[in-house]
Amino acid sequence: MKFSLGWLREHVEIDGDLLEITDRLTMIGLEVEGVTDLKEALRDFVVGHVVSTQSHPNADRLRLCDVDIGSGMYQVVCGAPNVRSGIKAVFAPIGARIPGGDFVLQPREIRGVTGQGMLCSEKELGLGDDHSGIIELDTELKPGDSYAAAVGLDDPVIEIAITPNRGDCLGVEGVARDLAASGLGKIVTPKIAPVPGKFESSIGVAFDFAPGFADACPYLVGRLIKGIKNGPSPMWLQRRLRAIGLRPISMLVDVTNFVTFDRCRPLHAFDVDKVQGDIHVRLARSGETIEALNDQTYELTEDMTVICDDLGPIAIAGIIGGIRTSCTEDTSNVFLESALFNATRTAATGRRLAIESDARYRFERGIDPESVNSGSEMATKLLIELGGGEPSTTITVGTKPGKEEEISFRPQRVADLGGLVVSAAECRGILEKLGFLCEGGGELFQVLRPTWRHDIDGEADLVEEILRIKGYQSIPPISIDRDSLPRPALSLVQRRIRSAGRVLAARGLNECVTWSFVSQIQAEKFGGGDAGLKLSNPITEDLGNLRPSLLPNLLTAVSRNTAKGHANLGLFEIGPRFLGDQEEDQQIVAGLVRSAEISGRHWLAQSRNADVFDIKADCFALLEYFGFSMERASLSTDTPIWYHPGRSGQIKLGPKTVLATFGEVHPGILSEFGIEERVVGAEVILTNLPPPKPRKSRARPVLSSTDLPVVERDFAFLVGAEVPVGDLLQAVRSLSGKDSTRSIFSGVNLFDVYSGKGIETGSKSVALGVSISPKEETLTEKDIRRISDSIIEKVEKITGGKLRK
Amino acid sequence: MDAKLLSDQIRDEYVGMIAEAPSLTELDSLRVTVLGKKGRVSQLLAKLRDLSPEERQAAGGVFNKLKEELNQAIEARFSTLDAEQLAAKLSGESIDITATVRPEGLGTIHPVTQVLDEVTEIFAGMGFAVAEGPDIETEYNNFTALNIPADHPARQMHDTFYLPEREDGSRLLLRTHTSPAQVRTMSQASPPHRIIVPGRTYRHDYDLTHTPMFHQVEGLVVDKDIHMGHLKGCLIDFARTFFEIDNLPLRFRPSYFPFTEPSAEVDIGCSVEGGVRTIGEGADWMEILGCGMVNPRVLSNCGLDPHEWQGFAFGVGIDRIAMLKYGIRDLRGFFDSDLQWLRNYGFSALDLPTLGQGLSR
């Protein structure tokens, strides 16, 4: 909402300066978004009279003009096609700062002639983009007068943001009311007196709504004005409109616009001579169309309110008028319509037809029903004053909405809810200044809201009114103190999520945040694509589905970073994936990928690429950090199809609960992402991890340390090539602590897996070292032999493997 | 027998040789020659047998002294030669220490995570717990219960992402703010409440300053006597702690949200010079969050009696305050997963913010 300071002062007498006014506006909830004050920028520019022009001796396109600015004559070289003798234009003397070009005008020779100033275009003045010619001014203006003052650009323009509840401040009157209530200035808004009608309107108006739809337009007043003379508006009116960025069109249109912005009362003026028969207000019929004032033709539907004559729609109610009955320079008989259109319906219609208009903007925020009549009177008065003519008596259709319900208000609530002590008398004073009617007094009064404040809904709103007028800055802040012992703010899962990122970052991975969306194709490739998780209205198809996995977006990131030449990529994200639309279908997952060289070329080390065991290590690191004993998990190879079938695994708890999936990403998938290298990836489902066992105390297990020497023994087994090494290791581990010496296997370390030369086909050699830690006594050779024998026996029993001799 | 003479002969003969022994090997052979089992000193000692007890005692003293002197000479030479040998060995072992170390992957934490951890830490200090809710929400929780009417523009397809309409005509949506978690908390647990709810939120917007997904943290305090003074105190404390500026100016402006009444927007002071915004005292203001007292209609919708309970709620854009605090210019970089960006704006795994050690380095 824009208005100029001068316009505001027509409604409120204020002593304060611009800064005080704008600060106050912001602090009472009418946030000032900007102030444009052209007075300074246009200081040097004056009205110039082009007395005569002649051709430039050395250039066909240029003219030499003699410009009278009252105090003297100046010669100007001008190339504008519209320059001619007799017009009035904007003159810039030498030394003027040209705002549009950000330079100071210097005497400059143009083809042998030195100009003594410049005639300016809109663009040169920084007022717009028009550079097709110079600005032509009203010929009535006096040469030498300040240009800004003459056209009203010396009036600072204030733009405020209006929250959706404050439609009443979409008129200058409403803004002034709020300002005055806050103690800044005194209301001087001119009163509107009814204009007596001289005759009865020859045009009838009727509502034509099916039962149940009457609320589309409950109330309308109309007036026929005959014998009016249209033409340009007077300067004061043009200035008002121009200051807020509206182009003056004609007196008839300008007056309706003025009332719209002055009183928040949109109106429409129809050229009666173009209206066929009477006027009807009804819902549109399917298939009806209207050619609107913006030169667009709209197809209407049955839920849109229209104003019609016998031939069809002549306006889309509360939004825009039609061309067929619009006012032109020749219009002499007008029908002035002022109505109450349903906010919701107007909003829906405007949205569907994608029409933004000042009328729609106001109607959809709710209009003061009282303004139907007063706005009509004000416009009638202005029209007759400016264009002559005679008004009919007022036609009234429908009924104005009845009296509002009262709100019980306890002034004590301002302190209890708002934290600011304000006396009952002061509360009442503020409310009354805002237009509320208060009855009773003391601890409780009954409040009737003003007709323009539809947003006021209860006691809390009244508290807000008082607080905002007093200013939120006057509420004393009170710190919130913890009312108990310090407690963790995070739940177990939240803590795991928080720690998981730190664990992975500590392992050298970079955390990303990617969209929760993937494309349909990606969703399908990663086990999703369910129609129920497809957005009805995605931004683009690429962002069309809720992701079933974190991997697609991470692979996209790999691809993009690889293209930029980054090797050694390790990325992770912790976030949701969606297996369905219910709360429990949303899992929080740590997704991770590693690609290319995990250690690049280096003089001390061999370069190598990230492999399955790097990503497996990441998964294990996470699970072990959360205190999850890997002995409780099983490792299987039944991985989803987007993994390499022979180089991937799942860590499960029981038969169903998957804790993590890891492995090389299927090369077929990678090629879809344009990735040529092998990439390993994993997803650890943080929400699937079981909670740790409840603990009675924070005490650690008692340390059982011993000085007894640890014995290292190496074994090499020949086992079938198909035997998982994990089974063999597990067989060994299962003997830990089982010997009569209760020795613990403090390490079972796989150090070689070999097949090939020297090993028969179909077999492999698996070598491991076992660290045997005695519990009570140093192990004797006999003990060690017994333990070794049991290891060999167990491995043979479980895997069929034989010790290599 | 002249013990002294014999002793002097050996001393004169060997002490110089020992002191000048060129290597440890030669020193050792000298040692064997003089002090070995069959060495010169042993030979002298063997002669003692033939002497009278008195002579033996006198000569023994002389020979033992000689032995001691030779031992000391050998030890002295040994430590010199040993040190020389070590020095020679070490000088042959020198390497070029300007060469590079073995590379180690430097992981990073995303600024969104870091800032979320900072925010959590601050509110944890004020006794808040962290609650959460799903990204896929019902229209009721996201809008209706929050007093956002059915025809509100925010509910339109151009603002909110919807999932397909189901058979019963209902539609699920992606939460447009974290506020539905207020509804879940108030409907499921008994007051008083003191929670924050961080999470992903979604709006149908994609341009220079909007992304279809962004992060918010919601706050909710409900009790019997919580008023707007507490709201102000809490958020002033939060903003000053978060931005780590004790005198950070804050401005509470009246605003409008359907789910709070009264409502406010909060600006922090800043200054802009040469296109760079600096947070702190200055000529400008920068909006950082919206807040207000929970609308009585929302309380009723969640089964609380507004005559008994009241409180405040707020919502902060995590990405936005991360940008402001850490000088990140472009929102879109947050979601690009560009390694250079992640390394530049990311945080070390060890930078876990705490109030005790300070939120940031």
Side-chain angles (χ1 to χ4, degrees):
Chain A
M1 165 74 186
K2 277 186 185 176
F3 54 88
S4 70
L5 186 58
W7 197 339
L8 181 67
R9 287 189 198 278
E10 281 182 12
H11 290 272
V12 59
E13 260 176 27
I14 311 183
D15 297 329
D17 63 7
L18 184 60
L19 189 64
E20 195 180 344
I21 292 170
T22 52
D23 279 353
R24 180 66 61 89
L25 285 170
T26 294
M27 293 315 288
I28 60 176
L30 305 174
E31 187 191 1
V32 173
E33 294 203 302
V35 176
T36 317
D37 191 353
L38 292 172
K39 200 169 11 178
E40 193 53 29
L42 299 178
R43 190 188 51 197
D44 299 328
F45 300 89
V46 295
V47 177
H49 180 205
V50 182
V51 177
S52 63
T53 69
Q54 58 185 89
S55 9
H56 190 288
N58 306 320
D60 292 346
R61 293 234 198 107
L62 299 177
R63 313 276 302 162
L64 299 181
C65 315
D66 290 320
V67 181
D68 174 16
I69 61 160
S71 56
M73 279 292 226
Y74 291 81
Q75 192 174 58
V76 173
V77 182
C78 183
N82 61 333
V83 71
R84 59 194 188 278
S85 59
I87 64 166
K88 296 239 166 86
V90 184
F91 174 78
I94 299 298
R97 215 188 65 78
I98 309 298
D102 203 12
F103 64 90
V104 173
L105 191 62
Q106 307 285 352
R108 192 162 56 108
E109 195 187 274
I110 305 175
R111 303 250 179 152
V113 180
T114 305
Q116 298 167 307
M118 184 169 99
L119 298 177
C120 304
S121 71
E122 206 175 68
K123 192 176 177 191
E124 282 157 344
L125 292 182
L127 300 176
D129 294 328
D130 190 357
H131 196 46
S132 62
I134 55 170
I135 298 175
E136 287 186 47
L137 297 174
D138 190 326
T139 49
E140 301 294 306
L141 296 179
K142 201 170 143 241
D145 279 1
S146 154
Y147 158 67
V151 297
L153 292 174
D154 60 340
D155 193 7
V157 175
I158 301 166
E159 181 164 16
I160 56 177
I162 299 290
T163 52
N165 58 326
R166 292 306 304 279
D168 63 303
C169 284
L170 293 172
V172 183
E173 178 188 20
V175 176
R177 188 191 299 121
D178 260 30
L179 262 185
S182 79
L184 202 58
K186 182 177 149 243
I187 287 294
V188 291
T189 299
K191 292 273 178 293
I192 297 168
V195 182
K198 300 279 173 65
F199 57 93
E200 283 213 354
S201 168
S202 53
I203 297 258
V205 183
F207 287 167
D208 191 5
F209 291 106
F213 292 93
D215 70 337
C217 176
Y219 186 54
L220 179 147
V221 302
R223 227 158 181 188
L224 178 62
I225 302 172
K226 277 187 175 166
I228 202 163
K229 188 181 175 306
N230 199 7
S233 303
M235 281 315 288
W236 71 264
L237 179 50
Q238 292 200 22
R239 268 203 291 262
R240 285 276 174 263
L241 298 180
R242 228 186 245 116
I244 60 167
L246 287 181
R247 206 169 271 279
I249 294 168
S250 70
M251 191 273 289
L252 281 173
V253 178
D254 294 353
V255 164
T256 56
N257 279 339
F258 179 75
V259 177
T260 300
F261 281 86
D262 193 64
R263 305 293 171 120
C264 191
R265 167 28 69 187
L267 304 157
H268 193 72
F270 297 96
D271 185 334
V272 169
D273 297 332
K274 300 173 188 162
V275 173
Q276 300 290 314
D278 283 341
I279 288 175
H280 301 266
V281 186
R282 59 167 168 83
L283 293 184
R285 293 174 187 134
S286 175
E288 274 183 328
T289 59
I290 182 169
E291 196 184 349
L293 283 169
N294 58 3
D295 293 328
Q296 305 270 328
T297 300
Y298 295 97
E299 192 159 323
L300 306 170
T301 54
E302 287 165 349
D303 49 358
M304 301 174 175
T305 313
V306 286
I307 299 166
C308 307
D309 66 2
D310 290 352
L311 296 182
I314 54 175
I316 307 171
I319 298 177
I320 196 166
I323 279 192
R324 179 163 62 82
T325 55
S326 66
C327 293
T328 60
E329 290 290 309
D330 310 325
T331 300
S332 60
N333 300 311
V334 298
F335 185 81
L336 187 67
E337 162 259 301
S338 177
L340 209 54
F341 298 114
N342 181 280
T344 309
R345 199 177 284 277
T346 309
T349 301
R351 215 154 39 220
R352 183 103 52 76
L353 300 177
I355 307 173
E356 308 278 350
S357 72
D358 294 325
R360 171 194 162 189
Y361 192 63
R362 285 162 178 75
F363 276 111
E364 67 188 14
R365 280 161 179 76
I367 285 274
D368 178 6
E370 292 300 324
S371 75
V372 176
N373 286 87
S374 62
S376 173
E377 298 292 355
M378 178 176 170
T380 305
K381 178 166 177 279
L382 273 171
L383 289 174
I384 291 166
E385 264 174 26
L386 302 177
E390 289 202 324
S392 74
T393 52
T394 300
I395 300 175
T396 302
V397 197
T399 47
K400 218 159 37 179
K403 211 178 159 209
E404 304 280 346
E405 251 178 63
E406 288 177 338
I407 299 167
S408 297
F409 175 62
R410 295 161 290 169
Q412 179 59 32
R413 287 298 290 160
V414 180
D416 291 347
L417 184 65
L420 181 67
V421 177
V422 183
S423 72
E426 194 180 357
C427 289
R428 185 173 183 147
I430 289 171
L431 290 174
E432 285 177 346
K433 276 189 179 176
L434 288 170
F436 292 85
L437 294 175
C438 303
E439 276 175 28
E443 295 307 298
L444 176 72
F445 40 92
Q446 300 300 315
V447 178
L448 191 65
R449 68 183 185 189
T451 50
W452 56 85
R453 290 300 299 271
H454 316 279
D455 59 306
I456 300 296
D457 178 42
E459 200 174 33
D461 298 75
L462 298 177
V463 170
E464 180 179 61
E465 289 304 296
I466 288 153
L467 290 175
R468 79 178 173 89
I469 295 301
K470 291 287 289 178
Y472 286 180
Q473 71 277 7
S474 44
I475 303 170
I478 302 172
S479 288
I480 288 226
D481 290 323
R482 203 179 49 230
D483 54 4
S484 61
L485 288 175
R487 277 195 197 106
L490 300 174
S491 68
L492 174 72
V493 171
Q494 290 162 346
R495 228 160 98 190
R496 283 177 164 171
I497 290 167
R498 195 186 202 199
S499 312
R502 305 275 164 186
V503 169
L504 293 172
R507 295 178 61 79
L509 293 132
N510 297 101
E511 188 184 17
C512 311
V513 176
T514 75
W515 308 129
S516 300
F517 319 111
V518 293
S519 69
Q520 174 74 26
I521 294 171
Q522 286 173 344
E524 284 168 11
K525 297 256 179 207
F526 286 83
D530 178 12
L533 291 173
K534 195 171 155 72
L535 298 181
S536 306
N537 54 335
I539 294 251
T540 66
E541 288 304 315
D542 281 355
L543 307 175
N545 289 61
L546 286 170
R547 62 186 183 185
S549 158
L550 272 62
L551 291 180
N553 289 343
L554 288 171
L555 291 172
T556 304
V558 167
S559 163
R560 229 187 281 144
N561 280 297
T562 307
K564 290 179 191 168
H566 295 299
N568 186 11
L569 275 173
L571 302 175
F572 76 96
E573 175 177 16
I574 296 175
R577 70 177 192 189
F578 304 86
L579 307 183
D581 60 15
Q582 295 304 296
E583 195 175 348
E584 59 274 17
D585 299 329
Q586 177 176 334
Q587 297 177 326
I588 304 297
V589 174
L592 36 153
V593 289
R594 287 183 182 271
S595 95
E597 292 174 328
I598 193 160
S599 53
R601 288 190 303 166
H602 191 266
W603 67 287
L604 285 175
Q606 274 202 311
S607 76
R608 70 175 185 86
N609 285 354
D611 63 29
V612 172
F613 295 97
D614 292 310
I615 209 88
K616 183 181 171 188
D618 293 326
C619 296
F620 274 51
L622 271 184
L623 295 174
E624 280 166 3
Y625 181 83
F626 298 134
F628 183 76
S629 161
M630 296 312 294
E631 281 164 24
R632 291 176 64 196
S634 63
L635 206 56
S636 68
T637 54
D638 53 341
T639 45
I641 49 162
W642 54 92
Y643 283 100
H644 187 307
R647 294 185 169 192
S648 56
Q650 295 214 93
I651 304 168
K652 286 190 196 170
L653 184 66
K656 278 192 181 153
T657 310
V658 177
L659 300 182
T661 310
F662 64 88
E664 264 184 34
V665 180
H666 196 289
I669 293 277
L670 290 177
S671 70
E672 306 255 349
F673 289 87
I675 301 173
E676 285 163 11
E677 298 93 342
R678 290 174 189 257
V679 174
V680 288
E683 286 185 281
V684 181
I685 303 147
L686 301 175
T687 36
N688 271 1
L689 285 172
K693 282 186 196 130
R695 289 175 297 175
K696 283 210 181 78
S697 101
R698 301 281 135 178
R700 298 294 174 96
V702 177
L703 173 68
S704 71
S705 92
T706 160
D707 295 333
L708 302 173
V710 175
V711 176
E712 303 277 349
R713 279 292 178 275
D714 290 350
F715 303 85
F717 291 100
L718 201 61
V719 294
E722 76 295 342
V723 173
V725 174
D727 289 1
L728 196 156
L729 297 176
Q730 185 51 40
V732 176
R733 281 196 202 100
S734 69
L735 295 174
S736 175
K738 296 284 165 63
D739 184 66
S740 57
T741 60
R742 299 201 287 140
S743 300
I744 299 293
F745 296 174
S746 49
V748 178
N749 176 29
L750 177 70
F751 64 83
D752 191 39
V753 180
Y754 174 75
S755 58
K757 200 175 163 202
I759 302 291
E760 63 184 87
T761 316
S763 297
K764 63 185 171 190
S765 163
V766 176
L768 53 131
V770 182
S771 308
I772 306 165
S773 305
K775 265 244 144 140
E776 281 141 10
E777 293 180 321
T778 302
L779 296 176
T780 64
E781 266 313 309
K782 209 176 142 197
D783 293 332
I784 297 168
R785 199 174 314 122
R786 189 180 60 248
I787 293 171
S788 297
D789 288 347
S790 66
I791 288 176
I792 295 162
E793 196 182 317
K794 183 82 177 182
V795 168
E796 180 166 358
K797 190 175 156 205
I798 301 288
T799 69
K802 297 258 192 273
L803 191 72
R804 281 180 80 188
K805 304 285 181 195
Chain B
M1 185 174 104
D2 187 341
K4 186 164 181 318
L5 183 71
L6 290 170
S7 163
D8 286 346
Q9 276 175 0
I10 292 178
R11 183 184 294 111
D12 292 346
E13 192 177 339
Y14 286 101
V15 166
M17 284 169 72
I18 288 169
E20 279 161 26
S23 70
L24 285 172
T25 324
E26 291 187 39
L27 180 65
D28 196 52
S29 66
L30 276 172
R31 184 185 61 77
V32 172
T33 311
V34 283
L35 294 173
K37 268 182 194 163
K38 289 176 183 168
R40 296 285 297 277
V41 174
S42 299
Q43 286 166 20
L44 283 184
L45 289 169
K47 290 181 184 164
L48 291 178
R49 255 177 279 148
D50 307 332
L51 300 181
S52 68
E54 293 79 26
E55 285 173 322
R56 192 188 299 164
Q57 198 179 4
V62 172
F63 294 158
N64 275 328
K65 187 164 173 278
L66 170 68
K67 194 176 170 182
E68 204 174 299
E69 282 174 18
L70 289 169
N71 256 327
Q72 279 172 4
I74 289 170
E75 263 171 43
R77 185 59 183 158
F78 178 85
S79 61
T80 306
L81 284 174
D82 191 52
E84 279 172 10
Q85 186 178 333
L86 184 62
K89 180 174 174 243
L90 292 187
S91 85
E93 281 178 3
S94 47
I95 53 168
D96 178 2
I97 53 89
T98 64
T100 51
V101 300
R102 287 175 189 85
E104 284 167 26
L106 266 186
T108 50
I109 290 289
H110 196 282
V112 164
T113 305
Q114 184 74 13
V115 165
L116 207 55
D117 286 350
E118 291 183 22
V119 170
T120 303
E121 191 65 15
I122 297 168
F123 284 108
M126 297 187 217
F128 284 68
V130 178
E132 53 199 4
D135 295 22
I136 301 177
E137 264 294 0
T138 61
E139 282 197 87
Y140 180 79
N141 283 346
N142 195 76
F143 291 128
T144 314
L146 291 165
N147 197 35
I148 303 173
D151 54 13
H152 193 278
R155 287 190 167 204
Q156 298 299 313
M157 298 279 276
H158 63 255
D159 271 318
T160 302
F161 289 113
Y162 285 97
L163 291 175
E165 197 170 300
R166 297 190 291 195
E167 277 181 13
D168 60 3
S170 69
R171 295 186 289 183
L172 292 170
L173 49 78
L174 299 188
R175 62 176 175 192
T176 58
H177 45 188
T178 39
S179 308
Q182 278 185 35
V183 178
R184 287 174 177 268
T185 299
M186 286 193 279
S187 312
Q188 287 163 14
S190 316
H193 298 295
R194 197 178 280 200
I195 54 157
I196 55 167
V197 189
R200 292 181 175 216
T201 46
Y202 306 87
R203 283 183 207 171
H204 201 281
D205 237 341
Y206 201 3
D207 57 34
L208 269 175
T209 53
H210 298 89
T211 47
M213 183 187 96
F214 55 102
H215 298 83
Q216 264 194 355
V217 65
E218 186 80 8
L220 175 73
V221 176
V222 174
D223 210 327
K224 300 209 166 174
D225 51 5
I226 289 290
H227 58 61
M228 219 156 156
H230 299 106
L231 163 68
K232 279 184 73 177
C234 173
L235 292 176
I236 291 171
D237 290 349
F238 161 69
R240 291 183 175 164
T241 312
F242 176 75
F243 288 105
E244 302 177 61
I245 301 174
D246 285 355
N247 61 350
L248 178 69
L250 274 91
R251 180 170 87 167
F252 287 72
R253 274 185 292 110
S255 188
Y256 172 75
F257 308 105
F259 33 93
T260 49
E261 193 69 48
S263 305
E265 279 181 319
V266 180
D267 301 333
I268 53 169
C270 64
S271 53
V272 185
E273 253 176 74
V276 179
R277 189 183 297 278
T278 312
I279 305 297
E281 269 180 287
D284 290 297
W285 293 99
M286 179 85 209
E287 188 210 321
I288 56 160
L289 61 87
C291 59
M293 302 304 296
V294 181
N295 191 311
R297 291 188 183 276
V298 175
L299 293 170
S300 313
N301 289 341
C302 298
L304 296 185
D305 179 359
H307 293 103
E308 188 179 359
W309 300 101
Q310 63 185 42
F312 65 79
F314 58 87
V316 190
I318 292 294
D319 319 76
R320 183 172 174 75
I321 60 170
M323 289 172 79
L324 287 173
K325 179 168 183 179
Y326 292 109
I328 307 171
R329 304 276 181 92
D330 186 357
L331 174 65
R332 290 174 303 177
F334 276 72
F335 308 105
D336 270 354
S337 309
D338 177 75
L339 204 55
Q340 297 169 64
W341 193 96
L342 298 174
R343 286 182 177 149
N344 189 66
Y345 292 114
F347 292 81
S348 157
L350 300 178
D351 285 344
L352 193 62
T354 71
L355 290 176
Q357 70 177 12
L359 290 178
S360 66
R361 278 197 273 172

